[in-house]
Amino acid sequence: EAQVTQNPRYLITVTGKKLTVTCSQNMNHEYMSWYRQDPGLGLRQIYYSMNVEVTDKGDVPEGYKVSRKEKRNFPLILESPSPNQTSLYFCASSWSSNQPQHFGDGTRLSIL
Amino acid sequence: GESVGLHLPTLSVQEGDNSIINCAYSNSASDYFIWYKQESGKGPQFIIDIRSNMDKRQGQRVTVLLNKTVKHLSLQIAATQPGDSAVYFCAEIFNTDKLIFGTGTRLQVFP
């Protein structure tokens, strides 16, 4: 089954404690992306990757890092999480940037 | 389930009626548009797309209309069903790699 898998689905942690949200897709897609979703603001792009070892900032990259060492994985790293990063996060993938994206089911992060 | 927005505009329709969800996009240079459906606790799911060289595209029970003059996009759902209840987002792509989502509309279907 074609899917985008995110882990964990839920996480409560404290300010400053580094965390990583993993994202894996099994469709051999080249394009992957991370979004955060906040009430009233919709989905905003954090980072995206056009292919292995190619990553670019989206609209809200501050406080986040990503890596793309292999095609299927695109982890999102919060080196020093802060409460304003409390949000619902989605990973997505597609064949290219101008094709419909497949989304994971989301990761709810709460930073205390 | 997850709440995707507490202050979303809401469209309430009766089961069997047609629904029209509207979206104003921001960039006149955008050349590709997508509608997504998001159910509670899930990620957005692709419904239908349209390129800027078209003004209408039809799928199964859904139609997307594009008016580039006023930068307006609409999603029409025929014979709305309870399973159509969700939040609907439009998204625009410009410069081939910038994807911008609208804030969404909640569709509620009542019997």
Side-chain angles (χ1 to χ4, degrees):
Chain A
E1 180 188 351
Q3 59 186 4
V4 177
T5 304
Q6 300 177 223
N7 279 296
R9 292 292 315 277
Y10 303 90
L11 179 64
I12 301 174
T13 188
V14 296
T15 299
K17 185 177 181 181
K18 179 180 178 180
L19 68 91
T20 299
V21 185
T22 63
C23 174
S24 180
Q25 50 96 2
N26 63 357
M27 295 165 279
N28 204 35
H29 286 163
E30 293 189 346
Y31 184 88
M32 296 186 75
S33 185
W34 275 103
Y35 300 88
R36 59 177 290 172
Q37 186 173 39
D38 302 288
L41 297 177
L43 284 139
R44 293 179 294 166
Q45 192 176 49
I46 303 170
Y47 269 95
Y48 63 95
S49 169
M50 302 286 272
N51 212 326
V52 176
E53 301 291 2
V54 180
T55 62
D56 278 297
K57 295 177 180 179
D59 295 317
V60 287
E62 294 77 21
Y64 305 95
K65 286 174 58 177
V66 292
S67 68
R68 188 91 183 273
K69 293 186 172 63
E70 42 189 349
K71 186 179 276 192
R72 64 182 291 123
N73 295 322
F74 189 45
L76 179 70
I77 303 155
L78 285 71
E79 294 271 4
S80 182
S82 62
N84 65 10
Q85 292 178 297
T86 292
S87 187
L88 179 59
Y89 291 85
F90 288 100
C91 180
S93 73
S94 58
W95 292 112
S96 67
S97 58
N98 60 355
Q99 295 288 324
Q101 295 182 34
H102 295 252
F103 283 80
D105 282 336
T107 296
R108 170 71 73 182
L109 288 185
S110 295
I111 316 294
L112 304 178
Chain B
E2 302 287 354
S3 172
V4 301
L6 299 178
H7 306 291
L8 292 175
T10 299
L11 175 67
S12 296
V13 300
Q14 190 164 24
E15 182 177 355
D17 286 351
N18 297 334
S19 302
I20 300 177
I21 300 171
N22 296 305
C23 175
Y25 64 91
S26 58
N27 196 314
S28 58
S30 294
D31 55 9
Y32 179 50
F33 305 88
I34 307 172
W35 278 101
Y36 287 94
K37 171 187 180 183
Q38 187 174 20
E39 297 174 287
S40 182
K42 296 189 176 181
Q45 177 184 10
F46 169 78
I47 303 173
I48 192 168
D49 58 358
I50 189 168
R51 307 239 172 227
S52 59
N53 60 351
M54 304 173 69
D55 52 24
K56 180 179 180 179
R57 188 159 189 229
Q58 287 184 288
Q60 187 177 13
R61 279 202 309 120
V62 294
T63 300
V64 55
L65 299 178
L66 174 63
N67 185 330
K68 294 182 287 292
T69 302
V70 294
K71 294 191 289 185
H72 183 266
L73 198 64
S74 69
L75 176 71
Q76 300 178 0
I77 304 174
T80 312
Q81 302 169 359
D84 295 326
S85 294
V87 176
Y88 290 81
F89 294 94
C90 66
E92 60 182 297
I93 296 177
F94 65 95
N95 288 343
T96 71
D97 61 0
K98 290 291 291 182
L99 177 64
I100 298 176
F101 282 84
T103 53
T105 297
R106 186 185 309 280
L107 176 64
Q108 294 180 331
V109 182
F110 57 93

